[in-house]
Amino acid sequence: MSVRVPIWLTKVADEFSRRGFRFFLVGGAVRDQLREQKVDEWDVATDAVPEEVLTILRHLHAKNIGAVGARFGTITATFEGELLEITTFRGEQYLEDSRKPVTNFSATIDEDLSRRDFTINAIAFDVKKRELIDPFNGQGDLRSRIIRAVGRPTSRFHEDPLRMLRAIRFAVRLSFVIEAETVQGIKDERDRVGLLSPERVAQELDKMLMAEKPSQAITLMVETGLINYVFPELLPSIDLEFEPGSHKDIYSHILQVLDQTPPKRELRWCALLHDIAKPQTRRKVNGEYHFLGHEVVGAKVARTVLRRLKYPNEFVDYVSKLVYLHQRIPNDDGSWTDGAVRRFVRDAGECLDDLFTFAEADNTGKNERKLVTYREKRRTLRERIVRLEAEAEIAKIRPPLDGAELMELFKRPAGPWIKPIKDKLLELVLDGELAPDDKEKAAKIAREIVQR
Ligand code: ATP
Ligand code: MG
């Protein structure tokens, strides 16, 4: 395990130290290097206050200097295309409503580290002395793959409820286990997640959903009860039978689909929401369950959930459209007319490819024969769409010269002489011997025909 510091960063560190400031690599930059993973964001802690950081970065001709997190004392910049985030040592206090941390800068790296969320994120690397500072044995927890709060979990989660979501996010993304007392802390403080701004919650949910096995994040949120505050709409699907007497519930189907969906944010949200309205639409008819219209109700629920989380309108529209249409491909029993296929393509619009991808992930049956049949049906539908689109393209092909242009070319009035010329030109275009926009060559050919 070793910490590597790129040359550009060593130069930045030298400038800080020349001016009498400390310079520590912290957070993900240390954690990920100790895990032998690539670093894509260089977090730094310093005792220089933000104005001094700005002065130094300008002096070093850093690019894209910004004070995005100025409230938290963070200055961002890039060097050689890599992102640097410099935060002044913090000793944060939180207002009772937990929305906004109030920063007061502290004097030491030890106090800074004690304010960080988890032991694995509270390791610093002194760039000048080239030594690790690890007061909470973060390296031990990295080796044992454990997420453990720094200090007393309940008070740390009480201070900043976002840490509860971060705990789950890190656990799922790194495949670590959350230590028992930390889990208990989440359970004790879960209702405070309700105080977070929707944007911050959504940002964490997105990161969880993009993990390799996002179902683990959902499971952890259900176990700890966080789900009640971020996405309670999921709860009715738990233990709700799919088929009478079956063991499988709708919740486990949703989780399975979620993991089978490729890591695209829109698709992952669609997976989470596609059957969300099955509980309220379930009816028993002749001993079997039907979920008539669940995709229509589901699209409405999707809208409510995503709006509440303050996603941009375009994203909300797109995901709820996926939910609304997610049954169309599985419902194709091969009896669709060409018109029905065209209508589907028109309705799907920009969602078409994602709907096919999703239909594939939504196929969770155990019966191998059925799986093959469904795959076959989807392929046939795909092929029909390609064929119909090609036919529509062909139908649009015209000869390079139309009747009016031919009349102009030969100074002759309309008459039966036109059709054979147009037919010949069209034939040449279809055979690929004449470009549909090559009017010059078309005129030459037309003259030859007339002279014959
Ligand atoms: P990644 O960048 O991969 O998401 P990271 O650990 O670098 O992971 P950041 O959000 O970039 O996460 O934060 C950098 C560091 O700042 C963290 O490692 C942690 O030490 C500290 N930190 C961030 N958010 C909090 C918080 N809410 N409470 C306490 N410490 C935090
Ligand atoms: Mg980071």
Side-chain angles (χ1 to χ4, degrees):
M1 293 212 227
S2 68
V3 178
R4 183 186 67 94
V5 182
I7 294 174
W8 63 264
L9 190 55
T10 311
K11 286 186 189 151
V12 181
D14 286 344
E15 186 60 27
F16 273 78
S17 115
R18 205 175 62 74
R19 298 181 188 227
F21 298 118
R22 314 289 309 272
F23 193 87
F24 298 93
L25 218 49
V26 288
V30 178
R31 180 194 69 223
D32 292 339
Q33 289 208 60
L34 294 176
R35 292 172 53 241
E36 282 159 20
Q37 298 292 312
K38 203 180 133 277
V39 172
D40 41 28
E41 193 189 276
W42 298 89
D43 298 304
V44 164
T46 180
D47 54 354
V49 296
E51 295 82 71
E52 290 162 333
V53 174
L54 279 173
T55 309
I56 298 174
L57 290 176
R58 288 200 191 106
H59 174 78
L60 294 171
H61 304 293
K63 298 228 164 63
N64 309 308
I65 299 178
V68 196
R71 207 177 61 199
F72 307 93
T74 302
I75 308 287
T76 56
T78 60
F79 282 92
E80 299 179 12
E82 295 200 65
L83 184 64
L84 177 63
E85 280 200 31
I86 304 187
T87 307
T88 305
F89 289 160
R90 43 180 148 192
E92 275 160 16
Q93 285 165 357
Y94 285 81
L95 295 177
E96 194 40 33
D97 80 352
S98 268
R99 276 167 198 265
K100 293 187 193 110
V102 185
T103 307
N104 54 32
F105 301 126
S106 69
T108 67
I109 185 68
D110 283 297
E111 186 179 352
D112 176 278
L113 293 177
S114 73
R115 306 303 308 160
R116 290 178 183 270
D117 47 9
F118 307 109
T119 59
I120 59 164
N121 289 344
I123 311 171
F125 181 71
D126 186 328
V127 176
K128 201 75 207 152
K129 296 187 186 153
R130 306 203 74 78
E131 67 186 21
L132 283 169
I133 298 143
D134 184 11
F136 306 102
N137 190 23
Q139 291 173 89
D141 285 342
L142 267 181
R143 276 190 294 272
S144 322
R145 307 177 79 82
I146 288 174
I147 304 292
R148 185 196 310 272
V150 168
R152 235 183 98 226
T154 45
S155 28
R156 303 312 309 291
F157 293 144
H158 194 88
E159 269 172 8
D160 181 3
L162 192 74
R163 291 172 187 152
M164 298 187 258
L165 294 170
R166 282 174 62 90
I168 291 176
R169 188 247 290 184
F170 284 119
V172 172
R173 293 199 65 138
L174 307 177
S175 299
F176 279 28
V177 171
I178 308 177
E179 169 272 335
E181 220 180 302
T182 304
V183 172
Q184 190 56 46
I186 299 178
K187 289 182 180 164
D188 294 344
E189 295 296 324
R190 60 185 170 205
D191 58 338
R192 290 186 65 83
V193 157
L195 300 171
L196 291 168
S197 75
E199 291 88 347
R200 292 179 86 199
V201 174
Q203 212 177 17
E204 285 303 323
L205 290 180
D206 279 348
K207 289 182 182 172
M208 293 178 199
L209 288 181
M210 295 301 277
E212 200 170 277
K213 282 203 115 201
S215 66
Q216 293 174 340
I218 306 298
T219 312
L220 281 170
M221 286 197 286
V222 168
E223 268 169 36
T224 53
L226 286 184
I227 200 81
N228 294 279
Y229 304 92
V230 301
F231 185 31
E233 288 83 356
L234 189 62
L235 291 167
S237 70
I238 300 177
D239 293 333
L240 196 85
E241 279 178 353
F242 233 116
E243 286 160 24
S246 84
H247 291 304
K248 191 166 168 186
D249 62 350
I250 293 176
Y251 173 68
S252 30
H253 166 74
I254 291 176
L255 294 191
Q256 191 184 343
V257 176
L258 184 60
D259 285 349
Q260 291 182 10
T261 311
K264 178 176 171 185
R265 206 163 61 117
E266 287 81 355
L267 284 172
R268 290 271 162 102
W269 268 110
C270 170
L272 204 49
L273 290 161
H274 77 289
D275 279 352
I276 204 71
K278 275 199 168 162
Q280 69 245 51
T281 52
R282 191 176 77 165
R283 301 279 177 278
K284 205 172 193 171
V285 183
N286 299 330
E288 266 190 60
Y289 289 135
H290 292 262
F291 305 93
L292 202 66
H294 76 274
E295 68 278 17
V296 180
V297 185
K300 282 197 192 126
V301 179
R303 213 164 256 292
T304 311
V305 171
L306 297 172
R307 279 216 182 116
R308 187 176 67 222
L309 290 165
K310 298 271 197 296
Y311 280 96
N313 287 338
E314 270 164 45
F315 186 80
V316 178
D317 291 345
Y318 192 90
V319 175
S320 67
K321 186 170 169 182
L322 287 178
V323 173
Y324 189 82
L325 294 174
H326 84 272
Q327 280 298 116
R328 296 279 284 272
I329 295 173
N331 279 352
D332 166 31
D333 57 1
S335 71
W336 286 7
T337 61
D338 284 354
V341 176
R342 286 196 198 98
R343 262 190 296 281
F344 168 63
V345 172
R346 196 204 46 205
D347 291 348
E350 75 284 13
C351 294
L352 188 68
D353 284 339
D354 277 345
L355 285 170
F356 272 100
T357 309
F358 184 74
E360 175 114 32
D362 194 10
N363 219 332
T364 63
K366 284 227 171 66
N367 183 331
E368 194 58 37
R369 253 219 332 269
K370 272 195 191 164
L371 287 181
V372 172
T373 314
Y374 285 130
R375 197 170 308 136
E376 214 37 56
K377 274 204 226 151
R378 285 194 300 272
R379 220 193 49 211
T380 311
L381 179 58
R382 264 271 192 220
E383 285 167 359
R384 273 186 89 184
I385 291 173
V386 171
R387 183 170 54 76
L388 287 173
E389 280 177 344
E391 282 172 10
E393 280 308 305
I394 293 166
K396 273 192 272 175
I397 295 177
R398 298 276 176 273
L401 298 172
D402 63 15
E405 286 169 309
L406 287 170
M407 279 151 60
E408 172 63 31
L409 184 70
F410 294 103
K411 307 276 183 261
R412 280 176 72 174
W417 63 276
I418 293 178
K419 194 172 180 306
I421 302 177
K422 274 174 66 178
D423 285 350
K424 180 66 192 169
L425 293 176
L426 183 60
E427 209 175 294
L428 290 169
V429 171
L430 292 174
D431 283 341
E433 287 167 30
L434 175 65
D437 56 353
D438 192 345
K439 289 183 189 294
E440 219 171 293
K441 188 170 172 191
K444 205 171 136 229
I445 296 165
R447 274 194 208 95
E448 283 167 16
I449 299 172
V450 170
Q451 276 161 17
R452 248 186 253 148

